[in-house]
């Protein structure tokens, strides 16, 4: 097994996922695990991170986060190769327009799995480990960070499905924070309150990742709003 601290990014892509992985790698993590569905895009993410951070070990897994068996197998392999993560960045989501009443209920259920059921299973797998880390090492920074948005409190009817699953996700993360925050695990949300674009002065991926690192390093608050 490789030495060094491990960051697990669930939902690796060219926006927030890549920027957070790159900045977190430059600050603390020598091992990065990237999980998303598309193999080709994961190769690009791996190359992008390796380009900006020398000496980093990146492993990629092309799995759908809603496939709990495949995710379990992938993470067993990642844990054996790089060690269990000290920090988990949960970023997976899709933006599928949904309007009343032509939206398929199965699409609501799939979005719920991506944002909430799969996050629950990931927390079940790793939170006990994060609590152990917090107890064993005062310098450890065990964390579970979830990318959220304004949708939980300000739903958009044309995105009602994403709005409701993001509300459920935030609620789950709040409960996890109330339970495991006192145990020394930094559980919280990055509240990206608008569209992300490289042209946005605040909500560009690099600034979001920089603010995320600052918030995580301080280790106090449940959320940061960007
Ligand atoms: N972009 C925005 O305007 C915006 C605004 C507010 C909040 N957010 C939040 O930010 C997060 C995403 O950041 P981003 O938009 O910049 O995207 P990103 O980091 O560029 O990429 C996210 C990646 O998640 C992966 N993903 C989606 N569904 C998945 C699944 N079922 N299983 C595994 N991986 C999956 C996708 O890769 P594959 O297709 O290869 O699976 C996608 O590339 C989401 O939580 C979103 O709600 C985004």
């Amino acid at each position: 097994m490789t030495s060094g601290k491990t960051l697990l990014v669930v939902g690796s892509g060219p926006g927030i996922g890549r920027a957070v992985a790159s900045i977190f790698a430059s600050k603390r993590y020598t091992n990065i695990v990237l999980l998303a569905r598309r193999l080709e895009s994961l190769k690009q993410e791996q190359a992008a991170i390796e380009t900006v951070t020398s000496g980093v070990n990146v492993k990629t897994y092309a799995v759908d986060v809603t496939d709990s068996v495949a995710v379990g197998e992938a993470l067993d392999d990642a844990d054996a190769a790089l060690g269990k993560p000290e920090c988990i960045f949960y970023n997976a989501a899709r933006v599928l327009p949904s309007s009343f009443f032509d939206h398929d209920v199965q699409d609501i259920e799939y979005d719920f799995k991506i944002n909430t059921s799969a996050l629950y299973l990931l927390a079940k797998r790793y939170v006990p480990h994060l609590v152990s880390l917090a107890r064993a090492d005062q310098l450890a920074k065990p964390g579970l960070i979830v990318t959220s948005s304004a949708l939980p409190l300000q739903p958009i009817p044309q995105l009602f499905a994403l709005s409701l699953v993001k509300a459920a996700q935030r609620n789950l993360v709040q409960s996890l924070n109330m339970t495991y925050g006192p145990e020394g695990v930094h559980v919280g949300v990055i509240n990206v309150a608008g569209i992300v674009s490289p042209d946005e002065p605040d909500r560009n991926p690099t600034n979001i990742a920089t603010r995320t690192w600052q918030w995580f390093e301080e280790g106090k608050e449940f959320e940061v709003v960007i």
Side-chain angles (χ1 to χ4, degrees), residues 36-190:
R37 290 165 302 180
R38 289 169 296 151
L39 186 61
E40 281 310 311
S41 130
L42 278 168
K43 285 181 187 164
Q44 290 171 15
E45 295 315 306
Q46 176 170 7
I49 294 162
E50 288 172 344
T51 301
V52 295
T53 314
S54 60
V56 69
N57 304 305
V58 181
K59 277 187 82 69
T60 62
Y61 296 92
V63 293
D64 188 316
V65 76
T66 67
D67 183 343
S68 56
V69 174
V71 170
E73 289 171 358
L75 295 178
D76 286 348
D77 187 81
D79 290 352
L82 300 180
K84 289 183 182 177
E86 186 196 51
C87 181
I88 298 153
F89 185 64
Y90 197 90
N91 188 58
R94 64 171 184 170
V95 183
L96 182 67
S98 53
S99 57
F100 300 118
F101 283 105
D102 56 2
H103 196 62
D104 192 331
V105 71
Q106 289 178 345
D107 275 318
I108 301 176
E109 288 161 1
Y110 181 58
D111 280 329
F112 189 85
K113 284 183 183 173
I114 296 173
N115 286 276
T116 304
S117 314
L119 173 60
Y120 169 72
L121 290 176
L122 203 80
K124 182 178 174 182
R125 178 184 177 104
Y126 285 123
V127 166
H129 160 69
L130 298 179
V131 170
S132 301
L133 271 182
R135 286 185 186 148
D137 181 1
Q138 285 199 332
L139 296 178
K141 291 182 70 63
L144 173 57
I145 308 170
V146 178
T147 321
S148 187
S149 68
L151 293 176
L153 298 177
Q154 293 162 344
I156 297 174
Q158 294 79 10
L159 292 174
F160 82 86
L162 184 61
S163 301
L164 73 89
V165 300
K166 281 291 187 188
Q169 180 188 64
R170 181 185 170 92
N171 195 283
L172 170 61
V173 183
Q174 284 177 301
S175 287
L176 288 168
N177 177 52
M178 285 188 261
T179 309
Y180 296 105
E183 300 276 336
V185 183
H186 193 183
V187 183
V189 295
I190 308 306

